[in-house]
Amino acid sequence: MKYFAFLTFLIFTCYLLGFVKKPEKYQWMDRNYTTAIKGFSILTVVWAHSGAMLSVEGIQFIAGIGVALFLMCSGYGLEISHEKKGLVGFWKKRLLGVCLPFWAVELIGLFATGTFSIKSYLLDFCFLKPATGYGWFMGYIVICYLIFYTVKKLVKDSRTQTLVLFGVFAIWFVLESVFFANPDMPFLRARQTLSFPAGVLLAMNKDKIEQTLTKTKNILILTVGGVQCAFSSWQ
């Protein structure tokens, strides 16, 4: 347990150190903001799986929360990018920013652990890791990319896009639950199916949500200030 406590301290201290002397400002759901959330979500996955390896029970659900946060930020980022640039360079960005780093890390990891084989690496390369394998997420996120790209390419009306997107992910949820549920890790992928489209929906309603949050914040400040003034006057 002491090793896990030290690991916890090390992981999150390194994360917080990343904010030291950072000149960039963080605004609600801008790129820096979502990148910070993605970084945190990745660390929660590493933390939870490290705990499992060290026989620490009861924290594995945190990894699921981390995956959900990452998928939401991914869906959000793709929708914001689509609103600005459309689908220009879509697959090039995914290839350079997601696929190539994964392939390189997997290759190094397989050699470092002495488990390299052509078959194993081809499965990694094609994102065909088993549902119970640690690399299942790559295949999952690539499917999310394919669904997003196809819907945006074929459906032009934004309202219809949202309905179709959620409809496709709902079908995916049913298929995963009925035909691909793994007894060792039941519904591992199915329970994440709403996270990505939820991020897309958040991006599409960003301005409305931001206005609502600003109004709520102002009302809260005025209410607290009014209560404080009334209390001071009563005193």
Side-chain angles (χ1 to χ4, degrees):
M1 189 68 183
K2 62 180 180 180
Y3 298 109
F4 181 66
F6 174 73
L7 181 64
T8 300
F9 173 79
L10 183 63
I11 287 175
F12 292 102
T13 298
C14 290
Y15 175 75
L16 293 175
L17 286 175
F19 293 93
V20 176
K21 296 183 180 180
K22 272 280 187 180
E24 299 93 345
K25 292 183 178 180
Y26 290 78
Q27 297 181 348
W28 188 74
M29 294 307 288
D30 67 357
R31 186 168 184 174
N32 289 330
Y33 194 101
T34 55
T35 299
I37 295 176
K38 282 184 176 181
F40 180 79
S41 66
I42 291 171
L43 288 180
T44 61
V45 174
V46 172
W47 178 74
H49 283 291
S50 299
M53 293 178 65
L54 294 171
S55 301
V56 178
E57 299 180 356
I59 63 169
Q60 280 64 50
F61 74 95
I62 297 295
I65 296 175
V67 171
L69 284 173
F70 191 95
L71 286 170
M72 286 183 66
C73 288
S74 295
Y76 176 88
L78 287 185
E79 178 60 29
I80 292 295
S81 177
H82 178 263
E83 291 176 1
K84 294 179 180 178
K85 304 176 183 178
L87 294 173
V88 176
F90 181 88
W91 288 112
K92 180 181 179 181
K93 292 177 182 177
R94 307 287 84 74
L95 177 65
L96 296 177
V98 179
C99 298
L100 286 180
F102 172 73
W103 289 330
V105 169
E106 281 297 289
L107 184 61
I108 294 171
L110 289 173
F111 274 114
T113 56
T115 57
F116 176 81
S117 69
I118 298 297
K119 179 181 178 181
S120 179
Y121 189 66
L122 283 177
L123 288 174
D124 286 338
F125 193 86
C126 298
F127 311 114
L128 295 176
K129 278 283 189 179
T132 55
Y134 65 88
W136 70 269
F137 180 78
M138 280 302 303
Y140 189 94
I141 193 69
V142 168
I143 294 174
C144 290
Y145 294 154
L146 284 169
I147 293 174
F148 180 87
Y149 180 86
T150 303
V151 171
K152 294 296 182 180
K153 191 74 173 178
L154 298 180
V155 183
K156 302 304 179 183
D157 178 68
S158 59
R159 182 179 176 84
T160 307
Q161 283 178 355
T162 305
L163 294 174
V164 173
L165 191 69
F166 272 88
V168 173
F169 274 89
I171 293 172
W172 188 11
F173 170 79
V174 173
L175 292 176
E176 282 285 353
S177 301
V178 175
F179 298 106
F180 302 104
N182 190 293
D184 297 323
M185 302 181 76
F187 310 115
L188 174 64
R189 294 183 294 187
R191 61 192 179 203
Q192 296 291 353
T193 48
L194 285 181
S195 302
F196 185 90
V200 174
L201 188 62
L202 175 62
M204 296 178 73
N205 295 276
K206 177 179 179 293
D207 293 336
K208 293 180 181 179
I209 295 172
E210 194 167 5
Q211 290 174 5
T212 301
L213 291 174
T214 301
K215 289 180 181 178
T216 303
K217 179 182 176 181
N218 291 336
I219 292 172
L220 182 62
I221 291 173
L222 289 173
T223 301
V224 173
V227 171
Q228 180 63 37
C229 289
F231 182 76
S232 299
S233 299
W234 180 75
Q235 290 291 334

